[in-house]
Amino acid sequence: MTKSNADDNNNPASAEDTGALLRGRFSEATDAFVEAFTASVNFDKRLYAQDIQGSLAHAHMLNKLGILNDHELKQISGGLQQIRQEIETGKFSWQVPLEDVHMNIESRLIALIGDTGKKLHTGRSRNDQVATDIRLYLRDAIDRLLQAETELLHAIIDLAEQHTQTIMPGFTHLQAAQPITFGHHLMAWYEMLLRDRERLSDCRKRVNKLPLGAAALAGTPYKPDRASVAAALGFDGICNNSLDAVSDRDFAIEFCAVAALTMTHMSRWCEELVLWSSQQFNFVELPDRFCTGSSIMPQKKNPDVPELIRGKTGRVNGHLMSLLTLMKSQPLAYNKDNQEDKEPLFDAVDTLQDCLTALCGLVPNIQANEDAMYQATLQGFTTATDLADYLVGKNVPFRDAHEMVGQAVQRAVEQGKPLEALSLQELNGPGNNIISEDVYQVLSLSGSVAARDHAGGTAPAQVRAAIEQARLNL
Ligand code: ARG
């Protein structure tokens, strides 16, 4: 909890005030433990700006309905703006006995402007208030995340563009499989993260709907103009059903699902960066400023940043599971369970944002060790499929070609040579002469990648086209 500088006169909110605002029907004060147990202000105070924004829009609506006169609207607006300032300058005294961000702000408003402050909550409940606040918060968070994702996509394209001809082994089962280009490999990550960005902006549509007006659960008798409140707050529309508006948190669950998937993609990529920056692969060099040393081993340069992104994926996946479980047994409409939605959601947002920031800094500074990539591609008989395809071109059925090449690979293994170092006779095997001199072009690494010259293939021309298209799309 933030320690406030404000003296008590400045903010007279106290447990007594909570009693005054909420406990009219009770005959005893809240148990001290229960008070702390049910409070959320320590984490939901993060929603103060959205809470004030929502209250201002609500007050304007009450003014249009004639519930607040112009003077009262001015008093409330002024009071809320002062509260925002107090919070932002650290002068606001947050009170746990006031339970949550909403009651803290409301009781401060009453303390500042008197009875007019008591009118603000007309036609509103904390149920539609908190749902509005979270949606406003998440929408703005999504906009920042979309920006970071776009930056990362640009960084990937920029790096891929430098490596449309850089040959490396493509892997299956982490075994060298076929030659590819590093640019092509990077563009695979581009595609995954592009889909993540699409999912995020699609999720935004369902986040950006207004709950206010639903009040506690059934609506209010004041006939609020919900559409104009929605427009004032930048929502694309209203939540159509008041019960649904206050109770469901599917938009937060959906966000966490999108975040978890994005983290999962980034984690896979980071796993590669960890492997590739090891001495065993030596495919890439990560910038020193993104690595850390060991407290005991002076030679170490550890890829902590990609390791942490990989590790933080676990907590975001966990938040998705928390929110699903939070929701699964709730009868309509609002239940206090929903107060537990905030910490997982906030942490999912923060974690995703931090990991995107880290990758945006890291990716442009990845140095490819082109020679090591090339040598590794030479090692693994990665053009064996090209040899089989060559035989198919000479009318050998693919299964027979597969068998012939398998035997050639065996001879190469025995002699400790790459395929292209075998003589024509060794490549053909006893009694065969189908393979002729033109095979050596086919067995070359650059010939192999250039041959995969179709949409989605690894040929440099195709990778360049994919990059060009990506630039247009972004
Ligand atoms: N702090 C609560 C939450 O986060 C606000 C809504 C409380 N509503 C209520 N009826 N207790 O969900």
Side-chain angles (χ1 to χ4, degrees):
M1 191 173 145
T2 312
K3 186 82 187 78
S4 164
N5 312 321
D7 62 2
D8 283 345
N9 289 340
N10 191 25
N11 187 356
S14 73
E16 239 169 56
D17 298 318
T18 336
L21 288 175
L22 298 182
R23 297 187 65 80
R25 62 98 73 211
F26 294 102
S27 55
E28 57 179 0
T30 318
D31 177 89
F33 171 77
V34 171
E35 192 171 84
F37 185 68
T38 54
S40 54
V41 65
N42 285 339
F43 51 85
D44 68 17
K45 65 183 171 195
R46 188 165 164 171
L47 295 171
Y48 80 87
Q50 290 79 12
D51 198 65
I52 290 171
Q53 194 185 358
S55 287
L56 286 169
H58 182 68
H60 276 91
M61 191 274 296
L62 292 176
N63 174 245
K64 274 194 208 154
L65 292 179
I67 295 165
L68 294 177
N69 64 35
D70 290 354
H71 176 64
E72 289 169 328
L73 174 63
K74 241 178 115 176
Q75 279 182 289
I76 288 179
S77 303
L80 288 171
Q81 263 140 30
Q82 175 174 338
I83 291 170
R84 176 161 36 205
Q85 209 165 32
E86 286 176 4
I87 294 171
E88 287 172 358
T89 53
K91 291 195 183 102
F92 190 88
S93 170
W94 295 101
Q95 303 285 331
V96 173
L98 285 170
E99 204 177 310
D100 55 25
V101 61
H102 323 293
M103 299 307 301
N104 268 267
I105 291 176
E106 190 183 340
S107 74
R108 177 66 182 141
L109 182 69
I110 294 166
L112 281 174
I113 67 168
D115 282 353
T116 305
K118 295 181 184 167
K119 292 190 173 181
L120 174 62
H121 211 54
T122 313
R124 184 177 77 169
S125 154
R126 277 186 296 160
N127 298 351
D128 59 343
Q129 188 178 356
V130 69
T132 301
D133 293 0
I134 308 170
R135 284 171 182 267
L136 283 172
Y137 157 82
L138 186 54
R139 176 193 70 197
D140 295 348
I142 287 174
D143 289 342
R144 282 192 302 276
L145 290 165
L146 285 171
Q147 234 171 28
E149 289 185 355
T150 304
E151 188 187 332
L152 180 56
L153 289 169
H154 276 292
I156 297 174
I157 299 178
D158 290 345
L159 188 61
E161 198 157 47
Q162 299 167 37
H163 293 290
T164 57
Q165 318 245 37
T166 305
I167 287 173
M168 62 171 284
F171 297 92
T172 63
H173 313 270
L174 201 59
Q175 309 283 318
Q178 290 178 346
I180 57 170
T181 61
F182 183 38
H184 192 53
H185 189 100
L186 286 166
M187 289 305 285
W189 293 119
Y190 170 86
E191 290 291 332
M192 285 177 251
L193 291 165
L194 182 68
R195 289 195 297 276
D196 291 328
R197 197 187 64 158
E198 272 170 26
R199 272 184 280 268
L200 188 57
S201 65
D202 200 62
C203 165
R204 188 191 191 279
K205 294 181 204 157
R206 283 171 291 281
V207 170
N208 202 30
K209 293 280 159 77
L210 174 80
L212 271 182
L217 75 162
T220 87
Y222 302 99
K223 300 209 188 332
D225 179 1
R226 297 184 65 209
S228 76
V229 178
L233 291 171
F235 284 114
D236 297 326
I238 62 167
C239 298
N240 288 324
N241 179 289
S242 62
L243 298 170
D244 176 44
V246 291
S247 68
D248 205 3
R249 296 292 183 264
D250 62 349
F251 63 91
I253 297 174
E254 187 179 347
F255 171 80
C256 284
V258 172
L261 197 42
T262 310
M263 288 297 300
T264 298
H265 284 148
M266 296 198 299
S267 175
R268 294 183 62 193
W269 190 10
C270 286
E271 165 76 1
E272 288 191 342
L273 293 176
V274 171
L275 287 170
W276 290 8
S277 61
S278 70
Q279 289 80 1
Q280 287 67 30
F281 273 86
N282 191 31
F283 283 4
V284 294
E285 185 74 30
L286 303 180
D288 282 0
R289 63 184 184 283
F290 277 80
C291 296
T292 59
S294 155
S295 59
I296 177 170
M297 298 166 284
Q299 86 284 11
K300 290 300 289 292
K301 174 176 166 182
N302 295 328
D304 290 37
V305 170
E307 286 173 84
L308 266 177
I309 294 173
R310 191 177 61 187
K312 284 176 187 288
T313 302
R315 61 201 280 165
V316 177
N317 290 355
H319 297 325
L320 170 61
M321 213 42 64
S322 296
L323 292 191
L324 282 168
T325 312
L326 176 72
M327 205 72 241
K328 71 176 269 293
S329 303
Q330 288 195 44
L332 285 172
Y334 175 85
N335 300 279
K336 185 77 165 178
D337 311 43
N338 277 344
Q339 184 163 287
E340 288 289 306
D341 63 356
K342 289 166 203 67
E343 288 165 292
L345 181 63
F346 292 161
D347 190 71
V349 167
D350 292 344
T351 305
L352 182 55
Q353 182 76 55
D354 283 351
C355 292
L356 286 167
T357 302
L359 276 180
C360 284
L362 182 63
V363 171
N365 295 295
I366 293 175
Q367 286 296 330
N369 187 347
E370 297 180 19
D371 193 49
M373 286 179 168
Y374 193 85
Q375 291 306 322
T377 321
L378 285 175
Q379 294 311 307
F381 306 107
T382 55
T383 53
T385 316
D386 296 83
L387 182 53
D389 291 332
Y390 169 91
L391 288 166
V392 167
K394 306 253 166 179
N395 246 337
V396 180
F398 183 77
R399 279 290 154 229
D400 293 338
H402 189 283
E403 166 84 19
M404 273 182 74
V405 177
Q407 286 165 6
V409 168
Q410 201 176 21
R411 286 188 282 277
V413 172
E414 279 162 12
Q415 298 177 38
K417 288 182 189 165
L419 274 179
E420 62 276 20
L422 296 184
S423 68
L424 282 180
Q425 204 177 8
E426 288 165 332
L427 283 169
N428 271 306
N432 278 329
N433 61 355
I434 310 164
I435 298 172
S436 51
E437 200 56 38
D438 56 352
V439 78
Y440 292 108
Q441 166 55 22
V442 168
L443 291 180
S444 80
L445 301 184
S446 56
S448 172
V449 295
R452 281 148 178 87
D453 191 11
H454 55 79
T458 195
Q462 293 296 336
V463 178
R464 275 194 298 274
I467 291 169
E468 211 168 292
Q469 191 54 51
R471 275 207 201 288
L472 285 177
N473 293 346
L474 284 180

